Amino acid sequence: MTRAVASAIYALRGNNGILLYKNLGTNTFATEDIKIPQIDNLGIHVVAFVDINNDGWQDIYVTSYGEGKNYFILNKKGKFQNPILLEVPNTRAIVTEAASFGDLNKDGYLDFVQGNWFFGSIRYLSSKKGAETNKLVINKGLQFIEGSLAEITGPTLSTLLSDFTNDNNLDLIVGNDHEEPDIFHIGNGEGA
């Protein structure tokens, strides 16, 4: 059973790490003091609650600008003091602007898609070779295996894993910026 930590704790992105606010249940919030040196100097873009390790507690997923470093901050039974930080592979990315989670290969662990944004248009200007490529990450018991979604490029602003074909396999919708078309990708239930 997943605990409703997300309703008790709220996370906001910032230019220097993240801010956590604990709901005191009285229409007031208190700042939750956490120190995570690895992310304190990063420009955080996306913050999401997701139980990535299947322990019933909502962990925090964060993405950052610049070097494309993304992390999971593992929840220790409602606490984030001295957290375990897991780096997520995101080869050659500048920034992940969108993420979507689901068990793509049906092994009981949440896998995810990282929608990467970059400067320019794929047709005319790419800031780094491969920076525009979105990433599929398969979770093998907290060992994250990165796969390229070479045919599903950006600059991506939104992603959604959902079974829009009603075949019991998760499909992917990607919303792109500028002139790149949005993409509907039909999943096969095996992580592709």
Side-chain angles (χ1 to χ4, degrees):
M1 181 174 129
T2 299
R3 292 167 180 81
V5 174
S7 64
I9 299 175
Y10 296 91
L12 299 174
R13 71 181 181 96
N15 289 331
N16 294 336
I18 60 172
L19 300 171
L20 287 181
Y21 292 90
K22 186 173 187 175
N23 185 345
L24 301 177
T26 58
N27 292 327
T28 58
F29 295 84
T31 304
E32 187 84 9
D33 188 30
I34 62 168
K35 301 290 182 209
I36 308 172
Q38 297 93 323
I39 69 168
D40 281 347
N41 293 321
L42 298 177
I44 301 298
H45 272 252
V46 173
V47 178
F49 285 98
V50 59
D51 182 11
I52 199 65
N53 59 357
N54 290 342
D55 68 354
W57 294 92
Q58 296 291 301
D59 307 301
I60 300 174
Y61 169 79
V62 297
T63 74
S64 67
Y65 175 78
E67 297 176 27
K69 290 188 175 183
N70 301 342
Y71 297 94
F72 282 104
I73 304 165
L74 297 187
N75 185 336
K76 296 185 208 171
K77 299 182 179 179
K79 304 287 183 194
F80 290 98
Q81 287 77 22
N82 302 311
I84 296 170
L85 196 67
L86 302 176
E87 189 167 351
V88 175
N90 200 19
T91 306
R92 293 186 307 275
I94 294 170
V95 63
T96 298
E97 285 288 350
S100 190
F101 300 86
D103 188 2
L104 291 165
N105 57 3
K106 303 177 183 178
D107 67 352
Y109 286 96
L110 289 177
D111 310 302
F112 51 102
V113 172
Q114 299 182 120
N116 291 323
W117 185 89
F118 68 101
F119 298 105
S121 168
I122 292 170
R123 292 185 192 129
Y124 305 109
L125 173 67
S126 177
S127 62
K128 292 198 239 181
K129 184 171 176 50
E132 71 279 359
T133 303
N134 296 318
K135 307 296 182 189
L136 168 67
V137 182
I138 300 296
N139 179 0
K140 297 282 188 184
L142 300 183
Q143 297 296 314
F144 302 118
I145 313 300
E146 178 185 64
S148 175
L149 294 172
E151 72 281 5
I152 303 176
T153 57
T156 297
L157 294 177
S158 63
T159 60
L160 174 66
L161 286 169
S162 179
D163 181 14
F164 61 80
T165 58
N166 293 320
D167 64 357
N168 295 315
N169 295 318
L170 288 176
D171 307 305
L172 175 63
I173 302 171
V174 175
N176 287 321
D177 198 3
H178 303 296
E179 56 195 48
E180 298 306 321
D182 296 339
I183 299 166
F184 293 79
H185 181 76
I186 297 173
N188 64 10
E190 297 174 7

